Amino acid sequence: MAHGKLSLVEAVNYLESNGSEYRIISASSQAAILDTYLNVDHTMNKLAGLFKIGTVNCILDSRDVADEGRMENKLNSEKFYSWLDDKVRWCLSFYSDVADFKTYIPDHFQNYFRQRLRKDGVKKAKYIFQKRARESNLEITSDDIIKKHIIDEGFEVLVAYIDGKYYVGTTLKVIKNQDFINRDISRPFQNPKESIPPKIARILVNLTSLSSGGRFLDPFCGIGTILQEASLLGLQIFGSDIDRQCVSETIKNLKWLSEEFNLEIGDISERIFTADARQLSKDIHVKMDGIATEPILLPPLKRFPSEEEAEDMLQIAGKIYEASLPEMSNVLKKGGKLVLVTPYIRTNRNTELSFNLEEVFTESGLTHYWTRNGPQFEYPLRSSSDKNQKVLRGIYVLEKL
């Protein structure tokens, strides 16, 4: 999963929105095991927080993996591929919920499948070696799987080690990261330092639980990244920003998107307008089905600030949130969701500071959204970040009472 618990909440929210039955068997920051039925193509085309979707064919425990014969017997009873040519590409990705997993364990699985392919008469099986992408992973990235045609010309074995069990299966579908990148860098106006990444934008839109045709608002639209993803999902978009230039650039980006992807989004010039989010109800006279927005991502910082500097920045930003949240609630329909990004600042003392909006949520008639049967989690949900990132994102999913 790209963003740990945030990715899992996106997936569970998608299942619940579609009325799908599911059960979470096990989950970590790297992978989740769910008992459910999926339209795999539709799911991967819609969600942005998953790298891969696969099946679980076999579950092993530590005793199985420690005993080569026992492991072989259990794996032999399961089907991992339905067809193979004489020449095949294959790989294995290993995900663990512990950083100090025994490095020989992935080798056990690799050796088993090498031998099994020989027994099944595959003469030329090319193994694609994985990279240690994160501390507890050995994986073939989704980009490499697409580039090297692994699913088209063979298969990938997935092994997820969670809570003492090894879940072994095969990959069905991977995300097309390049599609998100192309939408970002090909549009007429870009602002990579301050605009939200398209994949995060897609997750925010998905968390509103809206279906095609729903009225969707981003009242801090910037150059329109969130609105682009909402348009691609078939939503009726509305957007505003206090900056006239941002509004103009958003309209041009959306017109480009409409032409590039043959979208019927109508005349957007009346639905994308200049407005102060602290006075939204003066400009919007129809209730929105859902809202997703990032009011302020603080400008890129060249160094880690002191705690005092961070507090000063957050105090200024916090006032905008406090003033705009009641207005966003005013234009949101009852039961509608507001997905809100808040800034976290990492300081030179390695602390992370933000502001508390719980009282403002309550006064604005907003409450935390919880999945029906989903994972236990705390707000804010956090997107993944690297150790050098100074401004981070916290995400709330709120529901209008």
Side-chain angles (χ1 to χ4, degrees):
M1 296 187 294
H3 299 284
K5 194 61 69 71
L6 175 62
S7 296
L8 181 56
V9 173
E10 180 201 21
V12 165
N13 183 72
Y14 164 78
L15 292 171
E16 292 188 355
S17 299
N18 285 284
S20 301
E21 296 295 326
Y22 71 92
R23 180 170 64 93
I24 298 176
I25 297 173
S26 198
S28 71
S29 62
Q30 311 297 328
I33 311 300
L34 279 71
D35 180 10
T36 188
Y37 171 78
L38 286 178
N39 179 322
V40 175
D41 289 337
H42 183 272
T43 303
M44 189 55 86
N45 287 336
K46 182 167 184 177
L47 301 186
L50 304 180
F51 287 128
K52 304 173 182 177
I53 295 176
T55 61
V56 174
N57 301 67
C58 186
I59 303 174
L60 306 175
D61 59 29
S62 298
R63 292 173 300 172
D64 299 325
V65 175
D67 186 324
E68 189 173 320
R70 183 169 172 165
M71 173 177 157
E72 183 176 342
N73 287 336
K74 285 202 171 182
L75 291 175
N76 281 345
S77 64
E78 302 297 336
K79 191 174 185 179
F80 291 91
Y81 39 80
S82 57
W83 63 270
L84 286 178
D85 290 333
D86 200 32
K87 184 178 180 181
V88 68
R89 292 169 179 256
W90 72 285
C91 62
L92 184 146
S93 289
F94 186 92
Y95 301 91
S96 173
D97 62 357
V98 294
D100 59 344
F101 71 92
K102 302 296 187 295
T103 54
Y104 63 82
I105 291 176
D107 292 339
H108 278 2
F109 287 98
Q110 181 183 328
N111 291 335
Y112 165 79
F113 282 100
R114 282 185 189 277
Q115 293 173 13
R116 181 163 173 173
L117 285 167
R118 289 194 198 101
K119 291 178 182 177
D120 288 342
V122 179
K123 296 178 181 178
K124 295 180 180 179
K126 182 176 181 180
Y127 181 74
I128 308 298
F129 285 90
Q130 66 272 72
K131 299 175 182 178
R132 191 154 190 155
R134 287 180 279 185
E135 207 174 69
S136 54
N137 291 352
L138 283 164
E139 68 173 345
I140 301 292
T141 66
S142 53
D143 292 338
D144 279 343
I145 285 175
I146 293 171
K147 181 179 178 181
K148 296 176 181 180
H149 308 286
I150 290 172
I151 294 179
D152 296 333
E153 300 177 8
F155 65 100
E156 180 189 34
V157 177
L158 293 175
V159 182
Y161 177 68
I162 308 174
D163 296 333
K165 293 186 180 296
Y166 297 86
Y167 298 89
V168 189
T170 52
T171 302
L172 298 174
K173 196 83 174 178
V174 300
I175 194 169
K176 295 179 180 178
N177 289 310
Q178 196 60 45
D179 289 352
F180 289 92
I181 294 170
N182 290 342
R183 286 201 293 276
D184 193 23
I185 65 176
S186 300
R187 57 186 172 171
F189 293 95
Q190 305 161 33
N191 188 350
K193 290 185 178 180
E194 295 185 20
S195 63
I196 192 168
K199 287 177 71 174
I200 296 291
R202 172 65 68 92
I203 291 173
L204 301 184
V205 176
N206 282 331
L207 288 174
T208 64
S209 306
L210 297 185
S211 54
S212 181
R215 288 190 295 269
F216 174 90
L217 170 69
D218 179 0
F220 294 87
C221 67
I223 59 172
T225 307
I226 295 175
L227 294 176
Q228 283 187 222
E229 296 305 313
S231 295
L232 288 165
L233 293 174
L235 302 182
Q236 183 184 3
I237 57 170
F238 296 77
S240 64
D241 201 284
I242 199 169
D243 187 327
R244 291 182 182 274
Q245 183 176 343
C246 283
V247 170
S248 174
E249 292 174 353
T250 292
I251 291 172
K252 290 174 182 176
N253 278 341
L254 287 168
K255 286 182 177 178
W256 167 85
L257 186 81
S258 175
E259 294 172 1
E260 190 75 11
F261 293 90
N262 195 27
L263 300 178
E264 295 183 6
I265 58 177
D267 183 10
I268 57 172
S269 58
E270 294 184 359
R271 290 184 277 118
I272 312 296
F273 50 89
T274 304
D276 186 339
R278 295 167 292 191
Q279 300 176 355
L280 269 182
S281 52
K282 289 184 178 180
D283 298 284
I284 297 177
H285 306 292
V286 60
K287 293 293 184 182
M288 294 293 131
D289 298 313
I291 301 173
T293 193
E294 182 173 52
I296 294 178
L297 178 64
L298 299 170
L301 303 176
K302 294 182 179 179
R303 60 176 176 81
F304 291 102
S306 67
E307 291 187 345
E308 293 76 15
E309 291 170 327
E311 291 285 5
D312 288 342
M313 287 185 278
L314 289 168
Q315 185 176 13
I316 295 170
K319 290 179 180 178
I320 295 176
Y321 279 81
E322 290 169 6
S324 60
L325 271 165
E327 285 294 285
M328 285 189 267
S329 180
N330 283 342
V331 301
L332 182 64
K333 76 172 187 180
K334 184 178 179 180
K337 290 178 185 171
L338 164 60
V339 183
L340 184 74
V341 181
T342 59
Y344 274 71
I345 301 177
R346 189 176 284 156
T347 73
N348 56 11
R349 293 185 178 179
N350 203 30
T351 55
E352 293 180 4
L353 302 181
S354 188
F355 38 68
N356 190 323
L357 294 170
E358 294 300 329
E359 188 174 331
V360 183
F361 294 158
T362 301
E363 291 175 352
S364 302
L366 299 166
T367 186
H368 292 147
Y369 162 76
W370 304 103
T371 56
R372 292 195 308 271
N373 304 308
Q376 298 297 314
F377 61 91
E378 296 180 355
Y379 281 115
L381 294 159
R382 302 292 294 271
S383 61
S384 62
S385 61
D386 62 55
K387 63 181 180 180
N388 295 318
Q389 197 168 332
K390 301 167 186 67
V391 181
L392 318 173
R393 290 180 170 89
I395 298 169
Y396 292 87
V397 185
L398 306 164
E399 198 164 7
K400 172 78 173 285
L401 295 172

